[in-house]
Amino acid sequence: MPTLSIIIPALNEASVMAATLEAIAHLSRKVAVIVVDGGSTDNTCEIARARGAEVIASEPGRGLQLHRGALAAQADILWFLHADTIVPAAALERIVEALADPQVVAGNFEIRFEGRGRAARFMTWLYPQLRRLGLSYGDSAIFVRREAYERTRGFKPFPIFEDLDLLHSLKKLGRIVHVPAAVVTSSRRFEKGSFMIVFARWTAMQLLYWVGIQPTTLGRFDAPVRNTKPGSAPQ
């Protein structure tokens, strides 16, 4: 079996961290978990350590935190999770099956957004449509061969769209597969305030990225979208 490390960027994620790590504990075998903390002022780090995760400090910024975690990991496979993502118990088997094909360099999972509200239902429907257009995001639990990650030089220190940038680079090296199993992630970033306003802002940011606006520039206008403490950055 190849070795695998899970890397989770976090900033004031005490409200969700325990559930995420509990789901990881129910995987078929024990794996290394690295939580990369961007300066939490709540008890995120204490919760992570109490559940067996290694915690390393970083400046805030999702791309930067993810890459710090990848550099600290020693495994053959790097699996990047958001702090509010619940993985299925058979996830490791699905990853190993996907990477049994030597042409496959990376992959991701289906997403089901938690909740019964309009935002959760709509985003759960929308993500498969986006995937058919070749768009996948970090909340789909991206996994990658370490060798391929290193060849692309990994996540760039972008505040947003670090996931799209990495996947674009990985596609040049080999196949990226979609695993027919779902992770469950929070819809909280789409439920803060009016869903239509939040979704319109999210869509506009996507369009600006694809017409060539740099993520570092877009990040200056991207207000925190998750329900974290005041002053924290979105994860």
Side-chain angles (χ1 to χ4, degrees):
M1 293 285 288
T3 57
L4 183 146
S5 288
I6 294 175
I7 298 159
I8 305 173
L11 180 56
N12 292 329
E13 296 286 10
S15 64
V16 295
M17 183 62 71
T20 296
L21 296 177
E22 182 67 21
I24 291 171
H26 285 86
L27 294 173
S28 58
R29 62 186 173 95
K30 186 175 178 60
V31 296
V33 181
I34 300 173
V35 173
V36 187
D37 184 67
S40 295
T41 55
D42 62 8
N43 60 338
T44 294
C45 297
E46 290 79 1
I47 292 171
R49 292 191 184 99
R51 285 161 175 78
E54 176 186 359
V55 178
I56 62 177
S58 169
E59 293 82 3
R62 197 165 58 200
L64 179 61
Q65 289 174 244
L66 287 165
H67 190 56
R68 287 276 176 87
L71 293 178
Q74 302 297 318
D76 305 315
I77 302 169
L78 306 176
W79 189 14
F80 301 98
L81 300 181
H82 284 188
D84 59 357
T85 297
I86 306 299
V87 300
L92 294 183
E93 287 78 4
R94 303 290 84 79
I95 291 174
V96 171
E97 289 169 3
L99 295 178
D101 182 346
Q103 301 301 314
V104 173
V105 296
N108 65 347
F109 287 72
E110 294 181 5
I111 301 178
R112 179 168 62 85
F113 284 89
E114 183 183 26
R116 298 182 178 179
R118 178 177 60 173
R121 294 195 306 272
F122 178 75
M123 297 308 296
T124 297
W125 171 84
L126 179 63
Y127 264 54
Q129 320 311 318
L130 295 174
R131 189 176 65 248
R132 294 186 181 97
L133 298 176
L135 299 176
S136 296
Y137 302 90
D139 44 12
S140 63
I142 296 169
F143 56 90
V144 58
R145 296 184 193 273
R146 182 183 188 85
E147 182 270 341
Y149 182 87
E150 291 175 345
R151 286 180 61 188
T152 64
R153 300 188 178 182
F155 285 108
K156 294 183 177 63
F158 293 159
I160 55 175
F161 300 132
E162 77 294 329
D163 41 13
L164 295 179
D165 178 81
L166 177 66
L167 290 172
H168 178 73
S169 297
L170 288 170
K171 288 176 182 178
K172 300 175 183 178
L173 302 181
R175 292 178 55 214
I176 298 176
V177 299
H178 175 68
V179 173
V183 297
V184 179
T185 194
S186 172
S187 60
R188 55 185 170 155
R189 56 178 162 157
F190 296 105
E191 293 176 343
K192 187 176 182 181
S194 167
F195 170 65
M196 294 305 298
I197 293 175
V198 173
F199 180 73
R201 181 185 181 87
W202 182 78
T203 302
M205 297 292 280
Q206 308 282 324
L207 295 174
L208 289 171
Y209 172 76
W210 287 112
V211 299
I213 306 299
Q214 288 297 307
T216 49
T217 300
L218 293 174
R220 299 171 190 162
F221 304 98
D222 187 36
V225 291
R226 295 184 184 269
N227 294 326
T228 50
K229 290 186 177 181
S232 63
Q235 291 298 331

